[in-house]
């Protein structure tokens, strides 16, 4: 049997296995069919097979160019291009793991962060305690610093929203924006002007707890938001993206 067609089919098979593993982990977490540790293990296996699929696909491409062998070419094309497509998000997350600071709790108020109340029972068994650990030391950008400094350097836009409006007006606007997000709104208290929600990332299965608080500020109102992962010491920028996406929705509403 000629070697090049065999490699083409092997590339396709590896890509198929990669897609099955990655989507099984993602959908398993989205539908709460898999516990997070198991989903994370399946995802890790999927990423490993995905790297192999890319290497095999590249080897097939080089061999095809050198031998002019066209047998099973469609399987080779699907395998090589498909592996790259399926691995785009995992590869980007891996890149972020190395370029973003190892943070798991982002807040617009590092002195008195919005607190978790209704979400506390859901955090039972979580790796990260609900308290804000701003004094934890991390290494980022070539320096050792605390979490607060790392957040300021990496995410300078993670600041409170201040508007010249009545606090309740901003609160209801914030509430409507939260409902439009891909979140599970767990609780809201119009008297305390707080909102609590959760978000589960499709690809990684990581769940973040979100707390929003609106307070009077001078002639207007101030909105603070906090997003904290339940597991892991590094979120690869996920919580900062949650806040950024919410601010875009809030501004658009």
């Amino acid at each position: 049997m000629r070697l090049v067609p065999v490699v083409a089919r092997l590339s396709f098979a590896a890509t198929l296995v990669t897609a099955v593993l990655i989507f099984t982990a993602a959908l398993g977490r989205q539908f709460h069919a898999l516990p997070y540790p198991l989903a994370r293990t399946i995802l890790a296996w999927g990423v490993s097979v995905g790297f192999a699929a890319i290497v095999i696909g590249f080897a097939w491409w080089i061999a095809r160019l050198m031998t002019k062998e066209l047998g099973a070419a469609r399987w080779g094309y699907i395998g090589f291009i498909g592996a790259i497509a399926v691995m785009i998000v995992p590869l980007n997350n891996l890149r972020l793991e190395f370029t973003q600071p190892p943070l798991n709790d982002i807040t617009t108020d590092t002195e008195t962060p919005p607190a978790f109340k209704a979400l506390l029972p859901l955090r039972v068994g979580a790796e990260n305690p609900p308290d804000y650990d701003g004094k934890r030391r991390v290494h980022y950008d070539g320096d050792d610093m605390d979490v607060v400094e790392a957040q300021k350097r990496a995410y300078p836009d993670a600041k409170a929203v201040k508007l010249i409006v009545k606090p309740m007006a901003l609160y209801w606007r914030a509430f409507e924006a939260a409902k439009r997000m891909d979140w599970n709104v767990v609780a809201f208290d119009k008297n305390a002007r707080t909102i609590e929600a959760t978000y589960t990332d499709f690809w990684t299965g990581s769940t973040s707890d979100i707390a929003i608080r609106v307070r009077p500020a001078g002639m207007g109102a101030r909105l603070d938001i906090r997003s904290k992962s339940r597991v892991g010491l590094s979120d690869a920028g996920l919580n900062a993206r949650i806040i950024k996406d919410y601010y875009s929705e809030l501004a658009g509403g």
Side-chain angles (χ1 to χ4, degrees), residues 95-125:
R95 177 186 65 83
L96 291 173
E97 285 284 353
F98 287 99
T99 58
Q100 301 299 309
L103 306 179
N104 57 27
D105 192 353
I106 305 298
T107 177
T108 57
D109 186 346
T110 57
E111 294 184 0
T112 55
F116 299 122
K117 294 182 179 179
L119 289 172
L120 286 180
L122 299 179
R123 293 190 63 87
V124 173

Side-chain angles (χ1 to χ4, degrees), residues 180-202:
R180 294 193 298 269
M181 298 294 292
D182 188 21
W183 296 352
N184 174 33
V185 177
V186 175
F188 65 98
D189 186 338
K190 64 180 182 180
N191 295 319
R193 294 188 293 273
T194 59
I195 304 165
E196 294 182 69
T198 65
Y199 170 77
T200 300
D201 183 65
F202 178 84

